[in-house]
Amino acid sequence: MGALEIFEILVGGLLRFALPLVITLLVASFLKRLDDRWRVENLRETMAAAGVSGPVQNLRCWEAHGCSPERRDQCRANQNPDQPCWESFRVNGHLQNACKRCAFRQLKLSTEAS
């Protein structure tokens, strides 16, 4: 078995396994970003339909999510109004996955960045 045959096997393996894997990861990343954008748009539409107005920076998460007064009174985010709601739900210093994907958090961060 010569060097050329080994090279052909390696290239063939890369084309057969690595290329589809890379394409799959790129498509998954694109779809995740698209889903996140749709979540933010849905939250904006929901807030507009509920009559929530005013700047997003002043909005609290329980207003955006339409939490009941009972749930809001028990919520850690309501008990710490000086910090963003997602910071109230950190576990061992790590942000929870639900908070990472939260449309309200993404909306607030996108308005702060612009």
Side-chain angles (χ1 to χ4, degrees):
M1 194 177 238
L4 183 60
E5 291 172 333
I6 293 173
F7 177 74
E8 289 173 348
I9 291 172
L10 289 176
V11 169
L14 281 175
L15 289 176
R16 184 165 193 141
F17 298 110
L19 189 61
L21 179 63
V22 168
I23 291 171
T24 302
L25 292 174
L26 289 174
V27 169
S29 174
F30 170 75
L31 291 175
K32 181 188 174 302
R33 280 190 255 133
L34 188 61
D35 181 53
D36 291 344
R37 185 183 314 154
W38 286 344
R39 286 174 188 259
V40 169
E41 288 175 9
N42 182 42
L43 178 61
R44 283 186 176 142
E45 291 173 4
T46 303
M47 290 179 353
V52 176
S53 60
V56 174
Q57 293 84 359
N58 299 338
L59 191 64
R60 301 288 184 205
C61 67
W62 56 85
E63 296 169 331
H65 291 296
C67 294
S68 67
E70 296 83 26
R71 184 172 181 192
R72 181 179 59 222
D73 291 340
Q74 296 175 355
C75 181
R76 283 189 270 170
N78 186 29
Q79 296 167 1
N80 300 311
D82 297 337
Q83 65 183 11
C85 58
W86 55 90
E87 294 295 336
S88 299
F89 296 104
R90 285 189 177 268
V91 176
N92 296 326
H94 298 287
L95 196 59
Q96 295 182 23
N97 287 333
C99 292
K100 290 178 185 176
R101 300 284 316 240
C102 177
F104 177 72
R105 176 180 172 267
Q106 292 170 4
L107 180 62
K108 292 275 277 192
L109 292 176
S110 68
T111 56
E112 289 173 4
S114 55

